[in-house]
Amino acid sequence: MRVKLLGGAALSLFFWSGAAFAEEGMWLPSQTPALGEKLKAAGLELDPADLGKLNVAPLNAIVSLGGCSAAFLSPQGLVATNHHCVYGSIQYNSKPGQDYLTNGFLAKSNAEDLPAAPGSRVFVIEDLRDVTTAMNKGVTTKLDGLTRFNRLEDNRKALIAACEKQPNRRCDVRPYFGGQSYFLQQQLEIKDVRLVYAPAGGIGNFGGETDNWQWPRHTGDFGLYRAYVAPDGTSVPFAKENVPYKPKAWLTISQKPLAEGDFVMVAGFPGVTHRHWTAAEVRHNFEAVYAIDQQLRADYSDAISKATSGNEAAAIKYASILKGSDNYKKKLLGEIAGADAINLLGRKDAADAEFRQWVAADAARTAKYGKPLADLDALVKEANQARVDNLRLGTLNRAQLLSAAQQLYRWAKEREKPDSQRESGYQDRDRLPVRERLTQIERRFDASVDRKLLEQALGEYRKVDAAKRNTALEAKLDRIGVDALYATTKLGDTATRLGWMDKSAAEFEASTDPFIQLAVAAYAGTISDEQKAKTRAGKMQAARSAVMAGQLAFAAEQGRTLYPDANGSLRFTYGHVKGRARDGLIWTPFTTAEGLVAKQTGKGEFDAPDVAIAKLKARDFGSYVDPKLGTLPVNYLSTVDITNGNSGSATLNARGEFVGLAFDGTLDGVVSDWSYDSSINRTIHVDSRFMLWTMEKVHGAQRLLTEMDAKP
């Protein structure tokens, strides 16, 4: 079903469910005209139309870091995001005797800004346009699954190539509603990103995993990057002569205290949600997949902790990897608990049954949607059977040298083709990102740790039925032996590793390096599995897009509106500063300095710097005290609707001013990846006043406060 998108752009209708909550929705900018009255009623003081414009503030101050969100806070390219979003760069620049993870980092001048971890980017949004017609060129119902997949992929690569003829641009095409529609997102890619400021770990990660996904929270989860460009304004990799990027807009830091009940909105790039998955997919995920996934991640974290215990250098190298694993394993537990709390499976079953009854009640609808629905059911069943196996098979990718060797050999094989025919991720546009990922290994790798992780992964890998494993890889590994893998490989050396990017496939096939030999042996099986996955994906796109057209028609008939699942494109969401009360448990909307001091133990995860604790105990809050609270606010709750990828998203007040950063959710509320429920869903933000207080009182970052025009 093709109609005009709310606000005028051509796209499929977006409907939210009749039982949806006012705060629910990750909205596209082009939907703001139709949401205008709701936004005004909620408290927005800006013209709602401005939220639909990518060339004016506040949206043109919002940026992506390629996994996290962020925003410009100064005319000199200063970028605010979460501490955990810059954590990889803090880790990359740390070593024994220079432990920025613990002590934090502050550049006293631009000359002291540190290069961020290789691969770091700032992406500035420029356009988000409908390309559905171009994507569907040559796509018909007569195509088999693999041909359909390849046709869509060819169309996608052609659109990206045309977009990236503009210099310094990074473009992508993403599906909406399972491929019922497609949008192209165009961004300016800034390649020189530098670390400017990160608070001490005892502030930026105060509470650690104990407090992660919990409330009350007292974490200063923020950090600052700076974007740099060449003197002529072009985007180039790091060079000493580069200068700070001058953004077209930056956010103003609010001077008005934020209070309970205030309107807030978040703009960013949410990653993935599954709110439109079928009931069968959701049920299988929670009944079969998540328990195994959570256990695999827990075992992975334990293996890293054990392998790095007593080795400071190795612990620093694996700190970022371990933090990511710990974060996700706990999130999975929260999703399971949240699903029970809101009866997610019951909700999905009821909604699915209602839709199927609607289809069956009319002959025309049955003719149009019946077969796609049956096809989707069969494909979902097939995909469900593969998901658990793929979790275990994928653990081999945790061995960094094996993963690097496979990527390098695939790079060589793809280079034998014309660029337009290469797989996505292996085209000329991908050379620098691939090189940077391979470079990162040098400060995130320890051979003894990598070996232990490989041995653990092999144990999980071999739990999968032999017919589904890569027998050629296993046979080669058995002949080489794990001891020889690490004793004789040269891939641990960065120069050697990067040198393989320019070697031919024949040189790989003649190599005596054991990891290279493993990669060559595994290649045929990997390609075979990939072709099967593409075939299923092509069939799935045909079925799911048709079923979603039916879901849209069903919702339209009932006067309801759906929004698309998150997919990494720019969205905004709005709500209010609000606590939570459930079954005798009351959460106030703000945490304060007193709560942080009460949690302080001076060791482990609750070890804020002495200077911070001393000033908090002395009530040296400066100008950042809240007049209603009578103290310094640290974190606050809101009802805005976020997910992974929103980390680092700027939180704005009713006037579009900066009032903090979204950085987390509550443990049972993370089920919002599957369904939003205002009774439990809360987003946790770091208050801008705590950010400014920390910069001024703890780390003496007055230079940066002046640059941000943060008035006392």
Side-chain angles (χ1 to χ4, degrees):
M1 180 177 69
R2 295 273 298 158
V3 297
K4 288 289 183 180
L5 173 63
L6 303 175
L11 184 64
S12 302
L13 274 173
F14 293 112
F15 301 92
W16 74 81
S17 88
F21 304 96
E23 298 89 351
E24 179 181 351
M26 300 175 189
W27 302 102
L28 288 166
S30 51
Q31 294 181 274
T32 51
L35 294 172
E37 291 185 9
K38 292 180 180 292
L39 288 164
K40 284 291 188 182
L44 179 67
E45 296 177 22
L46 295 175
D47 182 349
D50 287 345
L51 297 181
K53 300 174 182 176
L54 301 185
N55 59 346
V56 300
L59 289 190
N60 66 341
I62 306 301
V63 300
S64 170
L65 303 180
C68 281
S69 301
F72 287 119
L73 284 189
S74 89
Q76 296 299 311
L78 197 65
V79 175
T81 188
N82 287 155
H83 182 270
H84 72 262
C85 293
V86 303
Y87 195 81
S89 293
I90 304 171
Q91 175 273 319
Y92 193 80
N93 284 287
S94 294
K95 58 185 177 182
Q98 184 177 286
D99 187 0
Y100 298 136
L101 291 168
T102 300
N103 302 321
F105 171 76
L106 172 65
K108 295 181 180 179
S109 68
N110 287 4
E112 293 185 8
D113 291 351
L114 294 174
S120 298
R121 295 287 189 275
V122 169
F123 296 101
V124 184
I125 185 71
E126 294 180 328
D127 196 10
L128 186 62
R129 58 182 180 269
D130 184 356
V131 292
T132 307
T133 300
M135 275 295 295
N136 285 332
K137 184 178 180 181
V139 178
T140 71
T141 57
K142 296 180 180 180
L143 300 181
D144 62 40
L146 182 59
T147 305
R148 185 184 187 92
F149 178 93
N150 288 335
R151 182 65 55 84
L152 287 166
E153 186 65 9
D154 287 345
N155 290 345
R156 176 179 171 273
K157 287 189 290 187
L159 286 165
I160 290 171
C163 179
E164 292 183 353
K165 286 182 179 179
Q166 306 169 86
N168 307 320
R169 265 55 184 183
R170 192 74 176 180
C171 305
D172 196 11
V173 176
R174 292 177 169 86
Y176 294 75
F177 291 121
Q180 211 262 337
S181 298
Y182 294 87
F183 264 38
L184 183 146
Q185 184 165 270
Q186 175 183 312
Q187 297 170 307
L188 171 67
E189 179 184 20
I190 298 178
K191 305 182 186 73
D192 185 352
V193 182
R194 305 185 194 181
L195 181 65
V196 176
Y197 168 77
I203 292 178
N205 193 32
F206 185 81
E209 277 307 301
T210 299
D211 272 7
N212 190 21
W213 304 109
Q214 302 291 333
W215 187 261
R217 194 74 173 272
H218 302 83
T219 308
D221 197 344
F222 73 101
L224 300 176
Y225 275 147
R226 193 183 304 278
Y228 280 80
V229 292
D232 64 2
T234 58
S235 176
V236 295
F238 175 87
K240 287 185 178 181
E241 62 269 21
N242 286 354
V243 298
Y245 171 72
K246 297 185 182 302
K248 294 179 180 178
W250 54 94
L251 299 177
T252 299
I253 297 175
S254 175
Q255 301 303 308
K256 183 179 179 181
L258 193 65
E260 182 175 4
D262 280 359
F263 174 95
V264 286
M265 57 185 172
V266 160
F269 298 81
V272 178
T273 57
H274 308 291
R275 296 179 187 177
H276 296 306
W277 273 25
T278 68
E281 287 174 293
V282 176
R283 181 170 293 280
H284 179 77
N285 187 78
F286 281 89
E287 292 183 344
V289 176
Y290 264 9
I292 294 173
D293 194 3
Q294 201 280 334
Q295 187 61 56
L296 288 174
R297 292 176 189 274
D299 292 345
Y300 182 43
S301 291
D302 290 346
I304 294 173
S305 297
K306 183 177 180 180
T308 59
S309 179
N311 185 336
E312 182 186 7
I316 289 174
K317 287 180 177 181
Y318 283 84
S320 181
I321 297 171
L322 179 60
K323 184 176 177 64
S325 179
D326 283 345
N327 180 66
Y328 205 84
K329 75 178 184 185
K330 191 170 184 179
K331 182 186 178 188
L332 292 177
L333 290 176
E335 291 192 28
I336 294 168
D340 288 339
I342 66 171
N343 187 26
L344 174 64
L345 300 185
R347 287 185 181 189
K348 293 297 294 186
D349 286 341
D352 189 69
E354 187 180 8
F355 172 63
R356 290 170 188 269
Q357 289 168 7
W358 176 79
V359 171
D362 180 83
R365 293 197 293 263
T366 301
K368 189 171 185 178
Y369 306 122
K371 185 179 185 304
L373 192 53
D375 289 345
L376 183 59
D377 287 342
L379 289 163
V380 164
K381 184 177 181 179
E382 179 184 337
N384 281 347
Q385 292 172 344
R387 290 187 67 200
V388 171
D389 289 339
N390 288 340
L391 284 175
R392 288 198 163 99
L393 295 173
T395 59
L396 286 186
N397 293 325
R398 296 171 178 173
Q400 294 188 67
L401 294 192
L402 176 58
S403 179
Q406 290 183 296
Q407 184 174 41
L408 285 163
Y409 184 53
R410 181 66 179 269
W411 181 262
K413 295 294 288 184
E414 293 297 327
R415 285 176 60 221
E416 296 174 343
K417 310 173 188 175
D419 189 62
S420 63
Q421 295 177 23
R422 297 176 195 168
E423 287 295 316
S424 294
Y426 295 91
Q427 295 181 283
D428 289 343
R429 68 192 289 269
D430 303 304
R431 181 179 176 85
L432 180 59
V434 169
R435 182 180 179 87
E436 289 169 331
R437 285 195 295 273
L438 292 168
T439 301
Q440 284 182 7
I441 296 173
E442 66 184 359
R443 298 188 195 176
R444 294 178 180 168
F445 169 82
D446 177 275
S448 65
V449 177
D450 197 68
R451 173 179 176 154
K452 291 173 183 175
L453 296 180
L454 174 59
E455 289 173 336
Q456 182 201 55
L458 285 169
E460 293 297 336
Y461 181 87
R462 287 168 176 154
K463 291 178 182 178
V464 179
D465 186 274
K468 300 176 183 178
R469 305 199 304 256
N470 192 317
T471 55
L473 180 149
E474 289 187 85
K476 177 64 73 171
L477 179 58
D478 288 342
R479 286 195 294 272
I480 295 172
V482 175
D483 288 340
L485 275 180
Y486 290 92
T488 60
T489 186
K490 304 298 182 185
L491 282 185
D493 175 70
T494 299
T496 300
R497 188 167 59 251
L498 296 180
W500 280 99
M501 286 194 71
D502 296 313
K503 295 184 183 294
S504 67
E507 289 175 286
F508 276 81
E509 290 149 14
S511 173
T512 59
D513 187 288
F515 276 109
I516 296 295
Q517 290 181 335
L518 277 183
V520 172
Y523 179 77
T526 299
I527 295 300
S528 176
D529 290 343
E530 188 177 280
Q531 294 297 98
K532 294 174 185 175
K534 287 179 178 180
T535 299
R536 184 167 61 240
K539 294 177 181 178
M540 186 79 82
Q541 188 276 341
R544 197 185 295 276
S545 61
V547 170
M548 284 309 306
Q551 291 277 12
L552 292 164
F554 178 46
E557 188 174 287
Q558 296 182 328
R560 300 182 292 116
T561 303
L562 298 174
Y563 50 84
D565 266 321
N567 61 1
S569 62
L570 179 64
R571 309 289 180 91
F572 78 92
T573 175
Y574 67 95
H576 298 87
V577 176
K578 186 177 180 181
R580 196 180 101 173
R582 292 186 73 219
D583 194 24
L585 181 65
I586 297 175
W587 290 352
T588 57
F590 287 91
T591 57
T592 64
E594 287 77 10
L596 192 157
V597 172
K599 284 184 176 179
Q600 170 78 358
T601 65
K603 58 185 178 181
E605 298 173 318
F606 297 91
D607 187 16
D610 291 343
V611 63
I613 296 300
K615 289 181 179 291
L616 292 175
K617 286 182 175 179
R619 297 185 63 80
D620 183 5
F621 303 145
S623 61
Y624 308 111
V625 65
D626 183 278
K628 291 185 179 179
L629 298 173
T631 184
L632 174 68
V634 178
N635 296 152
Y636 60 90
L637 293 172
S638 84
T639 57
V640 298
D641 186 4
I642 69 166
T643 186
N644 57 298
N646 274 123
S647 289
S649 292
T651 308
L652 311 177
N653 63 15
R655 296 172 298 283
E657 298 165 338
F658 181 81
V659 292
L661 296 166
F663 74 91
D664 210 353
T666 57
L667 194 59
D668 56 357
V670 294
V671 73
S672 62
D673 282 2
W674 305 87
S675 181
Y676 181 93
D677 188 315
S678 64
S679 71
I680 65 172
N681 286 121
R682 292 293 183 273
T683 292
I684 304 176
H685 311 251
V686 57
D687 196 299
S688 59
R689 291 166 288 186
F690 185 66
M691 295 169 59
L692 301 177
W693 177 87
T694 301
M695 293 175 69
E696 177 184 338
K697 299 290 185 176
V698 180
H699 294 111
Q702 187 59 52
R703 177 181 75 93
L704 297 176
L705 294 173
T706 300
E707 179 181 336
M708 295 186 298
D709 197 23
K711 299 179 178 64

